[in-house]
Amino acid sequence: MIQLTNRQARQFLLLKQGLLGEHIFTGKQGALDFVRQAGCIQFDPVDACGKNAELTLQSRVKGFTKRTLYELLYEDRLLVDYPDKNLSIFPTEDWPYFERYRQAARNGGEQFPELAGLEEMTKRYIAENGPVSSDDLPIDGNIRWHSAIHWSGEWCGKTNAARAVLEQLYSTGELVIHHKQGARKYYALASDYLPRQILEAPDPIADESAHRKWRLLRRITAVGLLWNRPSDAWLNIWGMKAKERTQAFEELQEEGAILPVQVEGIKTPLFFSAKDRPFMERVLAVETENKYGKEPFRPRCEFLAPLDCFLWDRNLIRELFGFDYKWEIYTPAVQRKYGFYVLPILYGERFAGRIEAVADRKGGVLTVKNIWFEDGVRQTKKLMTAVERSVRRFAKFNECAAVCGVLSDCQ
């Protein structure tokens, strides 16, 4: 059992996430490499200062632009939109691993006889006219249906027929998202945009238990350190009850795929992927290398996405960093402690605070509505300079030429 101080555990997580020290992810290839490392990044359509997937990448990938992700998704087709940990983006080569979910969507669709005719009509229309949104598809009315996108089987009652049939075909894998305009999705035939060998590949892991184990390892690798506890990190993994989760942990440890660590102050063992051993060795070596009290890794100031994979287990973040983060977008305004769309501010090895910024792209202005620094964080000149530089970089990422708000007048 590897023994870690709290600081070493934080360093390991931050290095593995590419959030501490020199950038290890750069440009388009770097964005693709990070998504492959994480398995998936969560998608959310809200765009106050960048969508969640874009925010996740901008904090790690040097030179990242929103265009970078668009190209990977809709021109290069190296990434694909599809549910994993809820709505997500993952590498196209992972498509075969989700065949069981597409099959479940097909089975679910059979409960609604009226869908079959609409599906054929929709595929013919797209084949003849190209990508469509629900507003373009000439299907009127509502039908009784439930969405399979989250594989929940929850009833939605009557819903717009055009939207329902497009989402059903997307869930079954017959359609993919061709592109998006804002929050509007345009669908196209998967056979026109994904390689045949990908579409026709069999499920690589037919056994249900083995599949859960594969997905659990994927989530551990995405976060960096996780424990055998209930966690949002396990969302959308079918059948992941306590018994199944424990079995998966035990088997992965026996196989040497994950390794345990004991962190000071935390009773429950944490586990990391054996593939991340180089990061662990680097952290363990710091104590002997750092003889003169210097910071072992160059600190960076980054603004994190609300649904960042680093934050998937909020309890773990609270235990390790003493940072209690809640995304208040769904909290009634009068009950919010901070704001509608507030991002954590990471500085070096700790969370320094939170920032609420809103981008007006038409006007070219990023407004910093507020910054809240954590208790005990001294607002030194070094910290404030780092935050101001990050705000400037964040404005450029949001295609804004000027910054207004609490840090400065418009300039």
Side-chain angles (χ1 to χ4, degrees):
M1 177 85 70
I2 298 173
Q3 304 290 327
L4 295 180
T5 64
N6 181 283
R7 186 183 187 191
Q8 286 173 323
R10 286 184 280 122
Q11 289 175 337
F12 169 77
L13 277 173
L14 293 168
L15 286 173
K16 184 262 186 314
Q17 288 286 342
L19 291 167
L20 182 65
E22 301 300 327
H23 283 85
I24 58 175
F25 302 104
T26 303
K28 185 189 287 189
Q29 185 61 49
L32 179 60
D33 289 342
F34 177 75
V35 179
R36 282 176 170 155
Q37 169 183 288
C40 75
I41 54 176
Q42 280 187 256
F43 173 81
D44 186 88
V46 178
D47 191 357
C49 52
K51 297 185 180 72
N52 187 79
E54 297 166 339
L55 291 168
T56 298
L57 292 169
Q58 65 80 32
S59 64
R60 296 162 169 85
V61 182
K62 189 175 182 179
F64 176 80
T65 67
K66 296 178 183 182
R67 179 67 190 173
T68 302
L69 182 58
Y70 186 95
E71 290 176 3
L72 286 167
L73 278 165
Y74 307 126
E75 294 179 5
D76 306 329
R77 299 284 166 183
L78 295 173
L79 298 176
V80 64
D81 306 87
Y82 199 72
D84 182 349
K85 186 182 182 292
N86 298 330
L87 290 173
S88 297
I89 292 168
F90 60 73
T92 303
E93 64 256 29
D94 287 350
W95 179 266
Y97 288 91
F98 294 87
E99 172 56 26
R100 62 190 2 94
Y101 301 108
R102 294 190 289 274
Q103 185 58 52
R106 295 179 200 116
N107 295 340
E110 293 175 359
Q111 302 175 44
F112 308 96
E114 61 267 44
L115 267 179
L118 295 178
E119 289 177 3
E120 292 306 315
M121 182 190 308
T122 298
K123 288 186 284 187
R124 285 198 303 271
Y125 184 85
I126 293 175
E128 294 170 1
N129 297 277
V132 297
S133 71
S134 57
D135 286 348
D136 302 325
L137 193 62
I139 294 176
D140 298 321
N142 298 318
I143 61 172
R144 176 175 170 271
W145 177 75
H146 72 73
S147 172
I149 285 183
H150 294 288
W151 306 302
S152 63
E154 296 180 1
W155 294 100
C156 296
K158 291 284 187 178
T159 191
N160 177 273
R163 183 178 70 83
V165 70
L166 287 171
E167 288 193 3
Q168 174 64 12
L169 288 169
Y170 168 66
S171 298
T172 63
E174 293 172 87
L175 297 183
V176 293
I177 295 176
H178 179 270
H179 70 283
K180 295 175 183 172
Q181 290 185 357
R184 187 178 300 281
K185 293 174 282 192
Y186 287 78
Y187 296 87
L189 297 174
S191 57
D192 288 342
Y193 291 94
L194 296 186
R196 182 176 176 180
Q197 64 269 27
I198 291 285
L199 291 174
E200 295 181 357
D203 187 337
I205 308 176
D207 178 73
E208 193 66 37
S209 176
H211 182 80
R212 279 197 299 268
K213 189 167 65 174
W214 175 78
R215 295 196 74 192
L216 184 138
L217 175 59
R218 206 160 175 256
R219 299 291 173 84
I220 293 172
T221 306
V223 177
L225 285 172
L226 278 174
W227 42 27
N228 181 10
R229 288 186 185 178
S231 170
D232 282 352
W234 317 130
L235 284 176
N236 225 11
I237 302 179
W238 281 359
M240 186 61 80
K241 307 294 185 183
K243 178 182 177 181
E244 289 78 14
R245 189 180 69 242
T246 296
Q247 178 184 349
F249 265 98
E250 290 175 350
E251 291 181 5
L252 286 169
Q253 190 175 357
E254 288 172 2
E255 295 164 6
I258 60 174
L259 302 171
V261 297
Q262 194 71 55
V263 179
E264 66 171 337
I266 299 179
K267 294 181 180 179
T268 305
L270 297 172
F271 294 84
F272 69 99
S273 169
K275 293 181 179 179
D276 290 330
R277 186 188 285 272
F279 293 111
M280 186 63 68
E281 292 174 349
R282 187 177 176 194
V283 166
L284 293 172
V286 163
E287 199 67 28
T288 56
E289 293 176 356
N290 188 26
K291 299 178 181 178
Y292 305 103
K294 296 180 180 179
E295 289 294 321
F297 307 107
R298 183 178 71 84
R300 300 210 321 256
C301 182
E302 303 289 357
F303 305 151
L304 302 188
L307 301 174
D308 195 297
C309 52
F310 179 46
L311 304 174
W312 280 353
D313 194 313
R314 303 283 169 82
N315 291 330
L316 180 63
I317 293 297
R318 188 184 306 114
E319 289 269 0
L320 285 174
F321 292 85
F323 184 69
D324 193 1
Y325 177 67
K326 178 183 178 183
W327 191 29
E328 297 180 306
I329 189 170
Y330 300 115
T331 303
V334 295
Q335 297 177 21
R336 289 178 188 141
K337 184 177 180 181
Y338 298 103
F340 170 74
Y341 207 92
V342 174
L343 311 181
I345 300 174
L346 185 70
Y347 180 63
E349 299 175 14
R350 65 179 176 175
F351 287 92
R354 305 150 207 258
I355 183 170
E356 183 176 19
V358 177
D360 174 9
R361 293 178 189 87
K362 288 185 179 180
V365 177
L366 180 78
T367 300
V368 179
K369 298 178 70 174
N370 212 336
I371 293 179
W372 301 265
F373 288 100
E374 291 292 282
D375 292 342
V377 172
R378 294 175 54 242
Q379 297 175 41
T380 62
K381 181 177 180 181
K382 184 177 181 181
L383 171 60
M384 296 308 298
T385 298
V387 171
E388 289 174 10
R389 286 175 177 169
S390 293
V391 167
R392 298 290 174 193
R393 192 175 71 245
F394 199 62
K396 183 178 180 181
F397 157 73
N398 276 288
E399 300 166 5
C400 294
V403 176
C404 290
V406 298
L407 284 176
S408 62
D409 297 328
C410 290
Q411 52 181 282

